[in-house]
Amino acid sequence: MEVLVKASGIDKEPVDAIILMLHEGDAVPQGAAAMVDKALDGAVTALQQEGEFTGKPKQQSILRTQGRLKAKKVVLMGLGKPEKLTLEGL
């Protein structure tokens, strides 16, 4: 597996997956997650509202982009509550 970190637009790179790390209790996606959510017609928000993705620690969900982004998939990773996040928890 190759992992590459770049400072560019998250929607500009043709990659296998974008990983979004979200906190438990986030009401709506912010920043890059909001841009991805908009490109996927609210798919991230829908998962949150339906309770399918809550952001609990180590929770994961995979969304296929269906060509709406250059990435093939979006992986949602739960970080848990912000006040309980530690380096070991990552």
Side-chain angles (χ1 to χ4, degrees):
M1 172 175 37
E2 181 180 336
V3 176
L4 182 64
V5 177
K6 286 188 173 184
S8 68
I10 197 168
D11 57 336
K12 306 277 190 256
E13 295 294 328
V15 296
D16 290 329
I18 295 170
I19 299 173
L20 297 177
M21 296 186 196
L22 304 172
H23 287 286
E24 185 174 354
D26 283 350
V28 293
Q30 302 289 322
M35 187 280 306
V36 169
D37 188 45
K38 183 177 179 181
L40 299 179
D41 295 327
V44 176
T45 298
L47 286 177
Q48 289 175 311
Q49 289 176 346
E50 295 164 4
E52 194 170 327
F53 183 84
T54 61
K56 290 186 180 188
K58 301 187 186 294
Q59 182 182 22
Q60 300 176 16
S61 189
I62 298 174
L63 299 167
R64 298 200 181 275
T65 65
Q66 307 294 329
R68 294 182 186 132
L69 292 168
K70 289 192 175 186
K72 295 175 187 173
K73 300 174 191 168
V74 175
V75 179
L76 306 180
M77 300 284 298
L79 293 175
K81 296 184 187 246
E83 63 274 9
K84 294 187 177 182
L85 182 63
T86 64
L87 186 57
E88 292 80 26
L90 290 176

